[in-house]
Amino acid sequence: MAECTTLDSLLEMGFDRNRAERAVAHTGNQGIERAMDWLMEHENDPDIDEPYVPPAGNTLGSTEEQIQSPTETSEPIEGVEQEGDAKHSMTEEEKKEQVKRLEELMKARQEERRERERQEEIEREKQRRKQGQELLQVKQKLQEDEMKKLADQRRREKMEDRLAKQRVKDKIARDREERARKFGGGSSSTGLSSPPSEAPIQSPPENQGAPPAKKDYDDCRIQVRLLDGSTLSTVFKAQEPLAAVRVYVQMNGANGQDFNLITPYPRRVYTDLDMEKPLRELGLVPSAVLVVTKKEIN
């Protein structure tokens, strides 16, 4: 009778019979509050609305006292009968009051469960934010490391460029010293200079013999006319590449501009491939005049 009382109370509160029977069975008929707690905890179970089938040998309304000894079951049965009598003696007003109380209890339990779920959701959100912040910090650390690597690489490249330019400068200085020693202390000017004066034309001798053998020059005097009309003049080795002349112009008058080197007569524009060729091979020995022109951007 006690189990039926719990079941009836659940039905009066509006619960489905299948759900009410499952709640009473799974809570061992320990009262309406336990049954309501079970219903709220399992309301989303996939089989909650399936017809309830009691286990074999057990039917709804049976209690553990039925399998105990007669001496142990006498008092509970008497209590059950008293509870049944009390149930049948309840008035409609008492029933409504009981249902109202149970509904308020269920609402309170539902509110507690919603509050608990809300707190759990807050904790989960905190965890997500914490993980997001940690992931962001890891990404920022990786970006900072990558930026440091790029900065180090750029510094190395700049240092290598400076060292390369310094090696060219040192080579030019050594070449100047060597030429100065070779020509008896003559100085090769790096500043502005006037074009070399032409040698006076000599009349050929009356009795001209066999033509003299062509002299093999080891040095080459190069005069460069810059964009502003000024000139540079210096001496290079005949075997030096044209790139040495280009570097010399860059350091002494190019002002950071990109340029081409040409010869006016006959006109020839020297390409990047020509920069690797010796001055002798390009026909610039023993002397030549080069003109600096702005490099056209395609």
Side-chain angles (χ1 to χ4, degrees):
M1 292 297 293
E3 188 172 0
C4 292
T5 301
T6 302
L7 179 62
D8 291 340
S9 299
L10 293 174
L11 294 176
E12 289 179 3
M13 294 175 64
F15 287 104
D16 183 75
R17 174 171 288 276
N18 288 332
R19 296 193 177 196
E21 291 178 352
R22 286 179 181 275
V24 172
H26 283 285
T27 57
N29 191 25
Q30 296 183 6
I32 185 67
E33 294 184 7
R34 295 291 300 275
M36 288 171 57
D37 290 342
W38 188 92
L39 282 171
M40 286 187 291
E41 291 176 1
H42 297 80
E43 63 178 354
N44 295 322
D45 290 356
D47 59 344
I48 189 66
D49 292 321
E50 295 180 1
Y52 176 70
V53 179
N58 183 23
T59 59
L60 191 64
S62 64
T63 59
E64 295 180 357
E65 287 83 353
Q66 292 177 347
I67 61 174
Q68 295 176 353
S69 62
T71 57
E72 294 176 347
T73 58
S74 58
E75 293 181 0
I77 291 175
E78 183 179 356
V80 170
E81 292 177 353
Q82 292 176 358
E83 182 180 352
D85 294 340
K87 176 181 180 301
H88 289 298
S89 62
M90 290 176 63
T91 63
E92 288 297 327
E93 187 67 26
E94 291 175 341
K95 289 181 180 180
K96 291 180 180 180
E97 184 66 26
Q98 183 181 16
V99 170
K100 182 180 179 182
R101 182 179 63 84
L102 294 176
E103 288 177 349
E104 292 176 352
L105 178 62
M106 183 177 67
K107 289 180 180 180
R109 294 295 175 82
Q110 290 176 344
E111 183 64 27
E112 290 177 359
R113 186 185 64 177
R114 284 194 294 268
E115 179 64 21
R116 184 173 62 254
E117 292 175 351
R118 189 177 68 86
Q119 293 295 333
E120 292 175 354
E121 180 62 25
I122 291 175
E123 289 298 324
R124 287 193 294 269
E125 181 65 22
K126 289 181 179 179
Q127 289 297 325
R128 284 194 295 268
R129 291 183 180 181
K130 182 179 179 181
Q131 292 174 357
Q133 291 176 352
E134 292 176 352
L135 181 60
L136 181 61
Q137 291 176 356
V138 171
K139 289 183 178 180
Q140 290 177 347
K141 183 67 167 59
L142 293 176
Q143 290 177 353
E144 291 175 358
D145 293 342
E146 187 65 23
M147 292 299 293
K148 289 180 180 179
K149 290 180 181 179
L150 291 175
D152 292 340
Q153 182 178 356
R154 289 173 183 171
R155 283 195 295 269
R156 287 195 299 271
E157 291 175 353
K158 290 182 179 180
M159 180 62 70
E160 290 174 359
D161 290 341
R162 286 197 294 268
L163 292 176
K165 290 181 179 179
Q166 186 62 40
R167 285 195 294 269
V168 173
K169 290 180 179 179
D170 294 342
K171 183 178 183 302
I172 292 175
R174 289 194 300 271
D175 291 342
R176 287 175 183 168
E177 294 176 358
E178 183 179 352
R179 287 193 294 270
R181 289 194 300 270
K182 184 175 181 180
F183 291 100
S187 174
S188 59
S189 173
T190 59
L192 300 178
S193 64
S194 60
S197 60
E198 298 181 357
I201 301 175
Q202 297 179 357
S203 60
E206 296 180 355
N207 297 326
Q208 185 175 1
K214 187 175 180 180
K215 185 177 180 180
D216 190 10
Y217 293 94
D218 293 330
D219 298 311
C220 175
R221 176 171 291 277
I222 298 295
Q223 178 179 319
V224 182
R225 187 163 66 243
L226 303 177
L227 293 172
D228 58 359
S230 60
T231 59
L232 296 174
S233 180
T234 189
V235 178
F236 296 90
K237 290 292 184 181
Q239 294 300 325
E240 287 190 69
L242 185 58
V245 180
R246 183 180 181 85
V247 172
Y248 175 76
V249 175
Q250 285 177 338
M251 293 190 302
N252 292 279
N255 296 325
Q257 298 180 358
D258 200 2
F259 60 90
N260 287 327
L261 292 176
I262 67 171
T263 51
Y265 305 106
R267 181 178 175 82
R268 177 178 178 180
V269 180
Y270 293 101
T271 64
D272 292 338
L273 295 177
D274 294 330
M275 295 298 157
E276 304 298 327
K277 297 179 181 179
L279 299 177
R280 185 191 303 278
E281 182 179 341
L282 295 173
L284 302 177
V285 177
S287 65
V289 176
L290 299 178
V291 179
V292 174
T293 61
K294 289 184 179 180
K295 191 169 186 179
E296 297 181 358
I297 300 177
N298 297 328

